[in-house]
Amino acid sequence: GVLMTCPMNAYLEKELEKRFNLYKFWQFPQRTQFLTENCNSIRAVVGNAKAGADATLIDALPKLEIVSSFSVGLDKIDLKRCKEKGIRVTNTPDVLTEDVADLAIGLIIAVLRRLCECDRYVRSGKWKIGDYKLTTKFSGKSVGILGLGRIGLAIAKRAEAFNCPISYYSRTEKEGSKYKYYSNLLDLASNSDILVVACALTKETHHIINREVIDALGPKGVLINIGRGPHVDEPELVAALVEGRLGGAGLDVFENEPEVPQELFTLENVVLVPHIGSGTVETRTEMANLVLGNLEAHFSNKPLLTPVV
Ligand code: 8YV
């Protein structure tokens, strides 16, 4: 049997049902009772960025062999526990890189050119009263990237086409990279017009965007987050935006999704989207196929397609 932690994709659900005895966790409000009754028939967990496999779930499933995540991010999976218990883990890298990088650029342009406010302006009929105010140019602005992994690199490549000087921060300098490296995130923030969060969420990167970083980015700076909500100290971000200490923000992720701080709703220099980075038909289908391919490989003793553990 396969346990799916929450609804994530209709095609994936359908295909899993064809191949396995599929348990949909969300259909069993009495979770403890469900686990007691079915723990011995569950050999795989399919989770996502919302609901993965924590130590409690892993320990409740004595026959668990593999956790296949419908996400590239692994922050909702207790990797250490999986390693200890010899449970394999897979994710969905690469197939979503383009979508997430596209969205990062989209958010930058939406914030600087005020696309969402402009759309509201036209719809409300205000255009008839007068022209919209001037906005801020994107091309040529300095872009700082936090985390130069697959997604960070794809964002850099796109920003290059906008003639943006590109720099990055990561724990270690990437050998052979043509982009400017800062060994200190504060220096990157001070030297960037736009700062994009594109690293993995770990203990080390939790609240890495704190008050100091936000103030280094400053009243003309823009923060883009397509990583994870907890990368950012959200109350500090809200305070900075409300007080005008930060120029703007484009956010795909939030600390307590789907809760979004109400204070942001009235700010026109902020663009808010509901964790849609990988959310295209094409990419979600490819992600589903990767999950299916990994499970198939595992259960037929073949090498996993995208192993993490
Ligand atoms: C998804 C994600 O939003 O890949 C990730 O890390 O956050 C996403 O692709 C999610 O897992 C889809 O259910």
Side-chain angles (χ1 to χ4, degrees):
V2 171
L3 176 68
M4 209 176 188
T5 58
C6 65
M8 49 196 90
N9 181 271
Y11 161 72
L12 176 59
E13 231 173 84
K14 203 181 79 210
E15 293 302 313
L16 285 172
E17 256 164 352
K18 276 189 211 162
R19 295 166 167 82
F20 305 98
N21 182 10
L22 183 65
Y23 299 95
K24 302 176 185 179
F25 213 5
W26 63 97
Q27 291 178 348
F28 300 93
Q30 308 288 338
R31 296 206 154 188
T32 323
Q33 190 195 333
F34 165 80
L35 289 172
T36 317
E37 285 166 9
N38 299 286
C39 62
N40 284 316
S41 47
I42 293 167
R43 294 169 66 196
V45 166
V46 172
N48 71 353
K50 228 184 277 170
D54 59 10
T56 314
L57 182 62
I58 294 166
D59 291 345
L61 300 171
K63 301 278 155 59
L64 185 61
E65 296 169 25
I66 181 168
V67 177
S68 185
S69 195
F70 186 66
S71 71
V72 68
L74 295 157
D75 47 290
K76 287 279 164 68
I77 302 174
D78 194 325
L79 295 177
K80 195 171 147 259
R81 192 64 126 239
C82 289
K83 250 176 240 158
E84 285 164 4
K85 296 195 144 183
I87 296 164
R88 307 299 309 272
V89 177
T90 65
N91 66 343
T92 61
D94 301 313
V95 294
L96 47 64
T97 300
E98 292 180 320
D99 272 357
V100 179
D102 291 352
L103 182 70
I105 299 296
L107 284 172
I108 295 173
I109 297 177
V111 172
L112 294 181
R113 302 301 302 271
R114 302 278 178 119
L115 293 186
C116 300
E117 190 185 2
C118 280
D119 178 87
R120 293 191 285 268
Y121 194 81
V122 172
R123 289 174 197 243
S124 70
K126 283 187 190 152
W127 194 11
K128 296 195 183 73
I129 300 156
D131 280 339
Y132 188 77
K133 65 183 182 222
L134 301 183
T135 60
T136 304
K137 181 170 176 170
F138 170 43
S139 285
K141 290 290 188 299
S142 55
V143 172
I145 302 174
L146 166 51
L148 200 68
R150 304 177 186 91
I151 293 172
L153 264 178
I155 295 167
K157 196 170 136 192
R158 283 158 177 71
E160 264 189 86
F162 291 86
N163 295 322
C164 298
I166 292 149
S167 328
Y168 70 100
Y169 165 78
S170 55
R171 276 169 305 177
T172 51
E173 187 167 3
K174 306 279 173 204
E175 229 173 278
S177 172
K178 56 181 161 176
Y179 307 120
K180 183 174 166 54
Y181 176 65
Y182 286 95
S183 58
N184 182 317
L185 179 56
L186 278 179
D187 293 337
L188 177 70
S190 323
N191 289 289
S192 300
D193 296 312
I194 299 146
L195 181 64
V196 187
V197 182
C199 60
L201 179 65
T202 61
K203 264 197 221 81
E204 291 74 36
T205 62
H206 181 266
H207 282 194
I208 192 168
I209 306 294
N210 56 21
R211 184 177 177 124
E212 269 186 294
V213 174
I214 292 168
D215 284 338
L217 198 51
K220 291 198 159 158
V222 168
L223 180 74
I224 301 294
N225 191 1
I226 48 81
R228 284 288 184 261
H231 278 126
V232 178
D233 184 332
E234 201 166 74
E236 286 293 352
L237 174 65
V238 169
L241 286 163
V242 168
E243 292 162 23
R245 285 184 286 113
L246 182 66
L251 307 171
D252 184 39
V253 288
F254 302 86
E255 266 208 277
N256 192 23
E257 293 171 21
E259 298 299 324
V260 176
Q262 289 276 339
E263 296 97 313
L264 299 179
F265 292 1
T266 54
L267 301 179
E268 300 288 10
N269 52 341
V270 174
V271 173
L272 308 167
V273 295
H275 201 147
I276 53 164
S278 69
T280 65
V281 174
E282 294 88 338
T283 291
R284 288 285 167 87
T285 304
E286 288 199 66
M287 289 165 65
N289 285 334
L290 256 186
V291 168
L292 295 164
N294 276 305
L295 291 176
E296 188 185 280
H298 175 77
F299 289 117
S300 50
N301 291 313
K302 288 192 185 121
L304 301 178
L305 307 179
T306 48
V308 183
V309 172

